[in-house]
Amino acid sequence: MKKYLFYTACAVFIAALVGAGQRFPKKYKNSLSEYGFFTGALARLQPAANVLPYDLNTPLFTDYAHKQRFMYIPEGKQAVYNDSAVLSFPVGTVLIKNFFYYQDERKPENGRRILETRLLIHEENGWTAIPYVWNDEQTDAFLEPAGETKSVTWRDSKGTKQTISNYQIPNINQCKGCHISGKSLMPIGPSARQLNGLYPYAEGTENQLVKLSQLHKLSNLPDLEKVPRLVNWQDASASLDARARAWLDINCGHCHNPKGPASTSGLLLDIHNTDPKALGIMKTPVAAGKGSGGLLYDIVPRQPDKSILIYRMQSTDPGQMMPELGRTVVHREGLELIREWIRQMPAQ
């Protein structure tokens, strides 16, 4: 709750600065189109020759928004492979993430509405997160350091009308809430385990890491059989444990890891943790407050309704819900996955 109030206060502060006429640094362009990442009509998101699309094996949930990702790595520079963290991208890299909703998920050809584009720019002094908000005409997106709230309506894959009246486009400080690692801002998604999968490039389907290596944008890539791979949490052919750990890794592990802002909780939900107690099994919370719901343990095997993890995942109260940023609604399918994972755990 304290973090929520802090970031709310930051949003008000940033909005006050902008409202008072204080400009954001000029090095950040006013509109997305000025960067030249895309060709043709901007809303088509057709990448320029030096911009590469990518996807994650298991993406972060953000209020059911779809995402289209791209990366720009400067000419002559390479990311460096490592097997456990996000690739080491060179200075000048820009990670570009577009958030959108189809009008009707059953008929993508009917069009979509892009709400925002977030840029993660690797500068000499570290990474910077910059939000751009799309206009109603879908012709461009404009720098908005204070973030914004949008209302969005769409039909889901079952044809049911869905509405989110308070979709949150984060301000710059809220971006830090998810992207902070130690004292530095870092990307969350593009690790080897997340990129180790196929992508349908215009010139043919290829493994994403191999593609980067072929383009001389990635160095030190070992044989693929030695590269870790995170499963797709929706892949029913994967084990329930692997799917659940993948979901927790991307949605919770960026905070709940030894270097994350939630490390003091002792609850480590990143994929690298192998300690059952640190994973939450029969672990009492350090200081959950009302977020515990009066429950005693983070995870009680075979009893999801007695597990604090489930209690917080199914909440939308800012003082209780987890993750506490990046969503305003419950991820129903993710919640059911974690419920089933706990339900099938061996009894203690």
Side-chain angles (χ1 to χ4, degrees):
M1 184 63 178
K2 289 181 179 178
K3 183 187 289 187
Y4 173 80
L5 293 174
F6 170 74
Y7 289 127
T8 300
C10 286
V12 172
F13 178 67
I14 292 171
L17 285 180
V18 174
Q22 295 191 35
R23 295 181 62 82
F24 207 61
K26 288 184 178 179
K27 61 182 177 181
Y28 304 119
K29 301 182 186 304
N30 185 55
S31 65
L32 179 63
S33 59
E34 294 176 58
Y35 288 93
F37 294 139
F38 304 104
T39 62
L42 193 63
R44 294 175 62 237
L45 299 179
Q46 292 298 309
N50 55 358
V51 175
L52 190 69
Y54 72 97
D55 209 348
L56 305 180
N57 289 330
T58 284
L60 185 79
F61 173 77
T62 311
D63 280 357
Y64 290 99
H66 295 267
K67 299 168 186 174
Q68 201 168 349
R69 301 172 177 82
F70 302 87
M71 65 174 71
Y72 164 77
I73 298 177
E75 187 66 31
K77 294 188 177 181
Q78 292 182 310
V80 180
Y81 172 86
N82 73 74
D83 63 1
S84 58
V86 168
L87 301 181
S88 180
F89 290 97
V91 170
T93 296
V94 183
L95 302 177
I96 308 152
K97 188 161 61 174
N98 305 278
F99 296 70
F100 67 91
Y101 291 83
Y102 289 112
Q103 305 296 339
D104 187 334
E105 290 184 335
R106 299 166 304 172
K107 302 176 181 177
E109 66 274 15
N110 285 358
R112 65 184 179 183
R113 179 187 174 197
I114 310 173
L115 294 184
E116 55 165 324
T117 296
R118 302 178 192 175
L119 303 184
L120 265 179
I121 304 174
H122 196 188
E123 303 176 295
E124 291 287 349
N125 58 350
W127 290 89
T128 300
I130 310 293
Y132 286 80
V133 179
W134 281 72
N135 59 13
D136 292 339
E137 297 77 16
Q138 297 284 278
T139 56
D140 210 340
F142 296 92
L143 178 64
E144 189 50 77
E148 195 168 322
T149 299
K150 293 275 191 179
S151 177
V152 60
T153 297
W154 77 100
R155 289 196 180 278
D156 65 20
S157 60
K158 296 179 180 178
T160 303
K161 184 178 180 180
Q162 302 285 352
T163 297
I164 292 177
S165 59
N166 56 341
Y167 177 93
Q168 299 291 324
I169 298 172
N171 64 55
I172 290 172
N173 277 292
Q174 287 172 320
C175 293
K176 294 177 181 176
C178 291
H179 284 276
I180 200 74
S181 178
K183 295 181 179 180
S184 303
L185 198 74
M186 291 293 293
I188 294 173
S191 60
R193 64 181 181 277
Q194 283 277 18
L195 295 174
N196 188 6
L198 299 176
Y199 189 91
Y201 299 100
E203 52 276 14
T205 299
E206 182 59 274
N207 179 282
Q208 297 182 107
L209 294 170
V210 172
K211 184 72 172 182
L212 282 168
S213 181
Q214 290 173 342
L215 294 172
H216 304 290
K217 295 297 185 184
L218 176 63
S219 64
N220 300 342
L221 177 65
D223 292 338
L224 278 185
E225 57 265 26
K226 298 179 181 177
V227 178
R229 181 177 178 275
L230 201 67
V231 304
N232 181 332
W233 72 276
Q234 293 179 296
D235 181 0
S237 68
S239 72
L240 177 62
D241 183 68
R243 294 169 59 206
R245 290 300 305 270
W247 192 95
L248 291 171
D249 183 53
I250 190 65
N251 284 284
C252 311
H254 52 81
C255 281
H256 285 274
N257 71 74
K259 294 183 179 179
S263 61
T264 55
S265 70
L267 182 64
L268 304 179
L269 300 175
D270 61 291
I271 199 71
H272 305 298
N273 175 37
T274 59
D275 178 1
K277 180 72 79 174
L279 191 58
I281 298 175
M282 301 306 293
K283 175 187 174 304
T284 55
V286 173
K290 71 173 186 176
S292 70
L295 302 174
L296 299 178
Y297 302 104
D298 292 327
I299 292 177
V300 180
R302 294 184 179 272
Q303 300 187 71
D305 289 327
K306 290 187 177 180
S307 301
I308 296 172
L309 190 68
I310 294 298
Y311 178 80
R312 304 193 77 166
M313 283 180 64
Q314 63 191 9
S315 175
T316 55
D317 181 333
Q320 299 180 359
M321 70 182 195
M322 284 288 172
E324 62 184 355
L325 297 172
R327 71 173 178 93
T328 60
V329 299
V330 174
H331 186 198
R332 299 181 298 275
E333 297 80 5
L335 175 63
E336 184 50 40
L337 173 70
I338 303 304
R339 289 182 68 90
E340 188 60 24
W341 177 60
I342 293 175
R343 190 179 292 121
Q344 293 192 25
M345 283 181 172
Q348 295 292 299

